[in-house]
Amino acid sequence: MPDSTLTLARTGGIELARIVYTEEQIAARVEEMGAEISAAFPEGDRLLVLGLLKGSFIFLSDLVRQITRPLHVDFLVAASYGSGTTSSGKVDLLYNPNAEFVGRHVILVEDIVDSGTTLSRLVPMLEERGPLSLEICTLLHKHVAADLIREPRWVGFDAPHEFLIGYGLDHAEDYRHLPFIGSL
Ligand code: IMP
Ligand code: MG
């Protein structure tokens, strides 16, 4: 378990409701996910791992080091949340990557799938660029969306219906740097 004095130093004195996934649990699951993704593609397949910023930045950097296939990394910048803890239902694309999609299997890496609004906007846009395949990998899945445009092929954890922070996830830009995932 993380040291509580250290945690309070990191949060500026804010007490978290609870730790949901420890650093060790996350590391073990990310290692498994890297193996699952590697096994899903024959040796020699070329991947493009597309991280959705900002939330996926830590997950993606740990995940790609566990994938044993040739790959490129790029990012998408989408803004879908304001400072609240509920989805605004609006997705703005602030950066669209130049990366070559043709001839590559594209893996879209998300921090968390909640309402599915982000995916419904991004999947058709990415499909248009002609990847060999397009699959979604998410660290957390809340399983609240009635019908997702595409179910993630790889899911780290089935997440509780709470507002989660840490390991890339923020609340109004705070807490992204926590090495574990907690509930506010
Ligand atoms: P969706 O479009 O509703 O599926 O929401 C996806 C995005 O909302 C994620 O990429 C996160 O940035 C944000 N989000 C959803 N749930 C949470 C949460 O519990 N904590 C932090 N961010 C969240
Ligand atoms: Mg986000």
Side-chain angles (χ1 to χ4, degrees):
M1 285 307 263
D3 181 278
S4 61
T5 313
L6 244 184
T7 297
L8 286 173
R10 284 179 169 125
T11 63
I14 306 293
E15 296 259 14
L16 303 182
R18 66 187 181 102
I19 307 293
V20 180
Y21 305 107
T22 64
E23 208 173 338
E24 293 74 21
Q25 286 172 314
I26 296 168
R29 185 66 190 117
V30 171
E31 189 177 341
E32 286 174 359
M33 293 177 87
E36 287 167 18
I37 290 171
S38 306
F41 299 97
E43 236 168 90
D45 267 9
R46 296 184 315 155
L47 310 183
L48 168 62
V49 180
L50 264 188
L52 187 57
L53 291 179
K54 302 175 202 173
S56 74
F57 82 109
I58 296 180
F59 174 44
L60 180 135
S61 66
D62 285 343
L63 181 69
V64 291
R65 284 178 282 180
Q66 302 295 336
I67 299 177
T68 53
R69 294 290 176 269
L71 62 81
H72 286 180
V73 173
D74 212 323
F75 296 95
L76 289 169
V77 185
S80 67
Y81 260 56
S83 57
T85 54
T86 55
S87 182
S88 66
K90 193 167 156 274
V91 180
D92 291 324
L93 250 205
L94 308 175
Y95 169 72
N96 203 350
N98 295 319
E100 185 58 72
F101 280 47
V102 175
R104 288 187 179 268
H105 295 279
V106 173
I107 302 174
L108 178 63
V109 178
E110 266 264 41
D111 50 355
I112 185 164
V113 175
D114 185 6
S115 71
T117 310
T118 311
L119 287 183
S120 57
R121 166 83 199 271
L122 293 181
V123 166
M125 202 200 71
L126 298 175
E127 284 287 13
E128 254 177 41
R129 297 185 53 173
L132 282 177
S133 66
L134 172 66
E135 302 277 4
I136 296 143
C137 174
T138 187
L139 178 64
L140 303 166
H141 194 336
K142 282 192 179 170
H143 295 283
V144 290
D147 54 333
L148 281 181
I149 186 165
R150 183 161 310 174
E151 272 301 327
R153 178 159 177 193
W154 300 282
V155 176
F157 301 99
D158 294 322
H161 297 175
E162 296 166 39
F163 197 82
L164 304 175
I165 43 98
Y167 197 69
L169 293 135
D170 72 307
H171 175 251
E173 295 304 324
D174 284 321
Y175 314 119
R176 292 194 195 275
H177 65 311
L178 301 182
F180 51 82
I181 292 171
S183 179
L184 260 193

